[in-house]
């Protein structure tokens, strides 16, 4: 296991933190379009970045040697979860064939800008790192198609999140609120998501959301949505908003603490899969006597014995479509 930041010498800690701050300062300059005054600002920026990258490498290399060995293995998937990382080493980013990278359950607060060079990176897992603000470096990863941000400390998403135009899957809810160290706290639907035309799967589980935006229809590509555990949601207007998404394929509203649903759910007449589990199947009578009549074209999964519930996270859109047709 990689040595954590707290176990390094004070000098090593200072060098690593300085490297993080320098990376972030450079990203801030690029974001604001304000490079330092110089006859050739781009050349100066490149020199600054090179100096930052080389600055503490020799000092910290022994502490990251085991990660370095992992990164050299011939694999397009890399799992560096539970490694005590406070910053992503440069050599991890020197993998042009890297497609999946898990950095979950670390203490990352900044993202190495070199990761943007991994042009084939498609999935990035940053769950359980304690982010209260999304690192600017993440917003440079325009090649990523699946981003996992569960169990952090996020209260929203910045407007610049719209840069991630390739994003198809986003998970920004909470998976284990009873046991996780951190929890996202989104009280308002991130409207910047309305600017992501390719987004197909969105997971907003166990959040204190109350409303969905009335212009949710702008998310024309959305096929799978999980509002699992959103007990504060105002469901009548929510179903009216969801009814504007003709291509919505599957919806998960499990464990919302209700035995009945408002009749506005009838607007989801084209929905193929509805997942609605409740403790003790308290909703069973309503599902069997009323909801099946309201949604005759929808497969409803409510925890009935012997009936397996589709796994929305792990299955592709095509697989979920086949389940709906079967």
């Amino acid at each position: 296991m990689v040595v954590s930041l707290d176990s390094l010498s004070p000098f090593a800690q200072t060098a690593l933190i300085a490297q993080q701050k320098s990376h972030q300062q450079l990203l801030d300059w690029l974001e604001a379009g304000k490079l330092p005054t110089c006859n050739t600002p781009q050349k100066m920026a490149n020199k600054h970045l090179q100096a930052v990258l080389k600055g503490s490498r020799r000092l910290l290399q022994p502490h990251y040697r085991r990660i370095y060995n992992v990164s050299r293995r011939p694999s397009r998937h890399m799992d560096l979860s539970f490694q005590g990382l406070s910053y992503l080493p440069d050599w991890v980013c020197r993998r042009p064939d890297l497609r999946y990278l898990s950095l979950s359950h670390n203490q990352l607060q900044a993202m190495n800008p070199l990761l943007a060079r991994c042009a084939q990176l498609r999935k990035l897992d940053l769950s359980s790192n304690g982010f209260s603000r999304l690192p600017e470096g993440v917003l440079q990863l325009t090649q990523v198609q699946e981003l996992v941000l569960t169990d952090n400390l996020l209260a929203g998403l910045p407007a610049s999140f719209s840069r991630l135009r390739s994003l198809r899957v986003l998970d920004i809810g909470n998976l284990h609120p009873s046991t996780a160290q951190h929890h996202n706290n989104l009280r308002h639907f991130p409207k910047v998501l309305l600017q992501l035309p390719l987004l197909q799967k969105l997971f907003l589980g166990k959040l204190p959301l109350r409303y969905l935006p009335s212009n949710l229809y702008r998310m024309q590509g959305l096929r799978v949505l999980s509002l699992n555990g959103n007990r504060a949601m105002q469901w009548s207007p929510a179903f009216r908003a969801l009814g504007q998404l003709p291509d919505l394929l599957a919806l998960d509203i499990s464990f919302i603490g209700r035995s009945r649903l408002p009749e506005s759910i009838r607007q989801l007449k084209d929905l193929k899969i509805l997942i609605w589990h409740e403790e003790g199947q308290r909703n069973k009578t309503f599902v069997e006597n009323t909801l099946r009549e309201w949604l005759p074209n929808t497969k409803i999964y409510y925890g009935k014995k012997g009936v397996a519930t589709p796994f929305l996270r792990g299955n592709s859109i095509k697989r979920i479509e086949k389940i709906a047709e079967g």
Side-chain angles (χ1 to χ4, degrees), residues 11 24 31 57 84 106 119 157 206 284 286 290 297 319 324:
F11 180 63
Q24 191 62 49
E31 167 69 11
R57 183 182 302 156
N106 284 293
L157 292 174
K206 301 179 179 66
K284 178 180 179 180
F286 177 75
T290 304
N297 301 318
R319 175 59 183 160

Side-chain angles (χ1 to χ4, degrees), residues 241-257:
L242 291 170
Q244 302 175 50
L245 298 173
D247 292 329
L248 187 64
L249 171 65
L251 174 65
D252 186 351
I253 55 171
S254 297
F255 303 112
I256 57 175

Side-chain angles (χ1 to χ4, degrees), residues 2-33:
V2 176
V3 179
S4 67
L5 182 66
D6 293 338
S7 65
L8 301 179
S9 69
F11 180 63
Q13 289 188 37
T14 300
L16 180 57
I17 291 172
Q19 185 187 37
Q20 293 183 42
K21 290 182 176 179
S22 296
H23 273 144
Q24 191 62 49
Q25 183 183 39
L26 180 60
L27 287 168
D28 289 343
W29 283 340
L30 294 174
E31 167 69 11

